Amino acid sequence: MKKILLCVTGSIAAYKALELTRLLVKANCEVKVLLTESAKAFVTRLSFEALSQGKVYDDLFAYTDHPIEHIELARWADQIVIAPASANTIAKLALGLADDLLGNVILATDKPIFIAPTMNVVMWQNTAVQANVNQLKNRKFIVLPPDAGEQACGDIGDGRLMEPQAIIKHILKPKIKTDKHVVITAGPTVEALDPVRYLSNHSSGKMGYALAEAFVDIGWGVTLISGPTQLIASQGCDVVQVRSANEMHDAVLEKVKTADLFIAAAAVADYRPQICAVEKIKKTDESDALTLKLIKNKDILASVASLTKNRPCCVGFAAETHNAREYALAKIERKNLDFLILNQVNTDNGFPFYSDHNEVQLFNKHHQQVLVLPLASKRDIANQIVNYLNENVIKKEVQTELNYE
Ligand code: PMT
């Protein structure tokens, strides 16, 4: 019987934690519930006691059964689930504060911690909240991202608590490990001009990182080769950090040797300065212009697609401002691709670079449009691309091993 400590924080979505408790008990879990002070403004101990058939914890200094209850609770749980997690709780946990029972339990545990944030869409997008969430990811918390939709305040967007059924799937699902391996490039490359300047682009890496996370979730081995970004990769990814297109090229060719699939989501610089000045280039009074000579970078995707031995299935991205479909299909031929994902730049729906959302079309090598994915979060888009590729790119015998993590 799995032992789950469900921690509920102050949010209008706290009522959904009652349903979560019921589903966990139904799934044969032993459940203990911890309520923060703010949670008690929204839900009562009594309801959780009835549904969990156990004791509810809410006081760091209660000392009823055991003098150091936070340590006991941390030791007892197989998994800790914080749902809903408010912006305030996320900030406190990011700082490692221990001013209440929840903060103490979290510091005292080495068990997996799932955290399901919920808040207003603008609060969720706030850079302070995002920085705190990234900090928690960095510390191996498993973030169950909020759903999009209508919110209690009337706003529409990301911030709704993930539905209890979906949370259950994440925390109780058997991890299926396959022997399949994908290599994904993500983010921009930077091409040095001199020791302090470079040429680069607006890629944030979000699309590539979302794909990596979606592949980890279905049990693939994932190597993420990333240009400089602010992002933290999903736990379970092998990450190789690079800066220039040349570095990305060498890392990819090394890692694809064992890959079934290669996805080039990075925005790789097509050209780099022919010379990287050894010293900072100085502004002069003699001329109003500076001429740079750029030379072509190697095409990483085309290099992988032209491998004669151990060639993985190759998927490219195209970001086009005009004649999008025509240029995208031409890339399939020119680079010898199996699939191409087209995201159009400057549609009415926005700009795929650095946004949290995207809308894409997937073409196969016969130029057939096999998926049309309207505007959605990059994570949702990634899930659908990954499901499609997982169904259609099975080269090796799939060996599955069920283990509960
Ligand atoms: O990172 P985000 O902010 O989330 O934004 C995502 C994205 C818009 C960067 C991404 O979805 C995307 O479209 N990436 C490709 C951008 C692009 O302009 O590609 P391209 O047309 O320059 O190149 C086509 C394909 O060849 C791409 O798969 C690219 O990774 C690859 N390529 C290009 C040049 C090169 N030297 N080597 C390559 O591998």
Side-chain angles (χ1 to χ4, degrees), residues 39-115:
K40 287 189 283 182
F42 295 89
V43 281
T44 65
R45 297 177 58 107
L46 189 63
S47 313
F48 284 104
E49 272 164 4
L51 287 169
S52 68
Q53 295 151 24
K55 193 176 158 202
V56 171
Y57 301 78
D58 60 4
D59 186 356
L60 179 59
F61 304 110
Y63 295 168
T64 47
D65 294 347
H66 197 282
I68 31 184
E69 203 135 66
H70 59 286
I71 304 292
E72 280 304 294
L73 277 175
R75 284 187 188 145
W76 171 84
D78 294 323
Q79 287 181 357
I80 296 178
V81 182
I82 309 170
S86 64
N88 183 50
T89 292
I90 290 169
K92 285 169 63 172
L93 297 180
L95 277 174
L97 290 191
D99 61 348
D100 64 2
L101 184 58
L102 174 60
N104 279 275
V105 169
I106 295 302
L107 290 181
T109 188
D110 55 1
K111 310 290 175 49
I113 306 169
F114 293 82
I115 183 160

Side-chain angles (χ1 to χ4, degrees), residues 181-182 184 216 221-225 233-240 255:
H181 176 211
V182 60
I184 300 171
V216 167
V222 179
T223 303
L224 183 62
I225 298 177
S234 169
Q235 201 182 355
C237 283
D238 167 29
V239 185
V240 183
K255 295 288 183 181

Side-chain angles (χ1 to χ4, degrees), residues 185 187 202-208 245 262 264-270 297-302 315-320 331 335 341 343 352-355 358 378:
T185 63
H202 293 297
S203 170
S204 62
K206 288 177 185 169
M207 193 65 242
F262 173 55
V268 184
D270 286 325
N297 276 325
K298 287 179 249 179
D299 191 307
I300 303 166
L301 179 56
V315 183
F317 263 85
E320 303 291 348
K331 259 175 209 159
K335 302 198 186 201
I341 299 161
N343 34 209
F353 286 81
Y354 59 73
S355 158
N358 206 357
K378 283 185 174 162

Side-chain angles (χ1 to χ4, degrees), residues 160-176:
R160 287 167 58 92
L161 179 68
M162 182 183 274
E163 286 303 323
Q165 286 282 7
I167 294 179
I168 292 277
K169 276 193 196 149
H170 278 279
I171 60 183
L172 298 183
K173 77 174 177 205
K175 277 253 185 234
I176 298 167

Side-chain angles (χ1 to χ4, degrees), residues 218-272:
I218 61 162
W220 283 51
V222 179
T223 303
L224 183 62
I225 298 177
S226 175
T229 74
Q230 302 292 318
L231 305 176
I232 290 151
S234 169
Q235 201 182 355
C237 283
D238 167 29
V239 185
V240 183
Q241 301 284 355
V242 295
R243 291 185 65 77
S244 66
N246 265 340
E247 284 175 29
M248 188 174 272
H249 175 272
D250 293 350
V252 167
L253 285 197
E254 179 57 33
K255 295 288 183 181
V256 288
K257 287 176 187 160
T258 55
D260 302 274
L261 180 60
F262 173 55
I263 304 184
V268 184
D270 286 325
Y271 295 91
R272 68 176 182 279

Side-chain angles (χ1 to χ4, degrees), residues 2 105 189 217 241 245 302-303 307 313 315 373:
K2 210 169 208 177
V105 169
T189 60
D217 270 7
Q241 301 284 355
S303 306
L307 289 174
C313 174
V315 183
L373 303 176

